[in-house]
Amino acid sequence: MWLCAETAVLLLLLHGITIHALVDPLTAVASSLTVAGVSLLYKPIYCQFRECCDSKWLHTTAPNLRHSLETNVFGQHLAIDTVVKSINSHFKSKPSKALALSFQGWTGTGKNLVARLIAESLYENKAESGFVHWFSATRHFSRPEKKRYYQDQIRDWIEGNLTLCPNQLFIFDEIEKMPEGVLDTLKPFVDFTVPVKGVEYRKAIYILLGNAGSKYLFDKTYQHFRSGGKRQDLRLRDTEATLWKESYYEQGGLRNSSLIKSHLISAHIPFLPLERSHVISCIHNEINSKNYSVSSHLTEITNQVLAELTFTPANELIYSTTGCKRVYEKVNLVIEDYAEE
């Protein structure tokens, strides 16, 4: 039996065979727009089974975000508080512009994890949602001579997706490895204060992940500790101005950026170096996630994992040089010996 074109496309959509899965994410916009046009004819049926731009799939509030962050992210009171307030205020009233957040700090301090937990709080399909777009500098923007090409691709991708739905999350990782100027293509999207040709730009969220200012954050945190200050007493105002400057002058995608010059980044959020106690929390969290019955060996496993990590300064060994990044693989190796018992 022959099927009309519209019915055939609907069946493909309902079975998850979409053009998105067949092409590179940076070149799929035109095809997705065509498919979307047909799917609109069958939206009531389609949206029962496949992700759509409606309240079934989008969460315009994130009531569980703080709990999720406090349960899974350790030692980052500044980041947790600022992220929760920024996300909640963005959705409480009609935003005047898109939300742009810069996560800055050492590797392994939780930047990627926080970005993922934000995605999980905002979308029914969590981080796998089609409204979440994760770009890696080393994968997508590795060649400086192709800067103009990258800018065009980012612009087309954002424009196309915002045309389909305004509630999009764009995450750019390793921005310190991006060619200078690539991120300037975000400026008009972050800066729009009114819809343009029917496209709403202000509901989108942009998160930039990088290590600009890492040394400053280490020095600031260590000096605060040495002077007898409590980590929890550090405030965003203590670091944000310097992180703004570090982003602008350090090598990478934000160097000399119009995003910074025009003050379009909503917050430069510090991810502080992690102390031994925070790493221990990461270890225990990872062990619990494996559902292994190793409680009687918990201290032994924890000490073995800690022994595999490097801490600094050399004479005090306070902060993990890789945060919690290597914890997960180390736990998996160590715990196998006990799981077999």
Side-chain angles (χ1 to χ4, degrees), residues 281 283-292 294 298 331 335:
S281 294
I283 294 172
H284 292 173
N285 205 42
E286 180 65 12
I287 291 173
N288 291 335
S289 73
K290 301 300 180 184
N291 294 319
Y292 287 141
V294 294
L298 185 60
V331 166
I335 207 170

Side-chain angles (χ1 to χ4, degrees), residues 241-311:
T242 300
L243 290 181
W244 184 95
K245 295 177 182 177
E246 296 281 351
S247 297
Y248 188 74
Y249 290 110
E250 283 192 16
Q251 187 66 40
L254 284 178
R255 186 177 187 183
N256 299 316
S257 173
S258 59
L259 286 173
I260 296 180
K261 285 189 287 188
S262 299
H263 301 281
L264 294 177
I265 295 181
S266 308
H268 291 264
I269 301 177
F271 281 72
L272 308 177
L274 298 183
E275 299 173 10
R276 187 176 294 265
S277 62
H278 304 132
V279 177
I280 290 175
S281 294
C282 288
I283 294 172
H284 292 173
N285 205 42
E286 180 65 12
I287 291 173
N288 291 335
S289 73
K290 301 300 180 184
N291 294 319
Y292 287 141
S293 299
V294 294
S295 56
S296 60
H297 300 290
L298 185 60
T299 300
E300 190 175 353
I301 292 172
T302 300
N303 289 336
Q304 286 189 37
V305 174
L306 289 173
E308 295 289 327
L309 304 176
T310 303
F311 289 82

Side-chain angles (χ1 to χ4, degrees), residues 89-99 188-195 200-204 264 266:
S89 63
H90 184 64
F91 288 111
K92 273 185 178 178
S93 58
K94 192 172 183 179
S96 60
K97 61 179 282 296
L99 180 63
F189 298 109
V190 178
D191 203 16
F192 279 131
T193 57
V194 294
E200 174 61 77
Y201 295 92
R202 296 168 293 183
K203 294 182 180 181
L264 294 177
S266 308

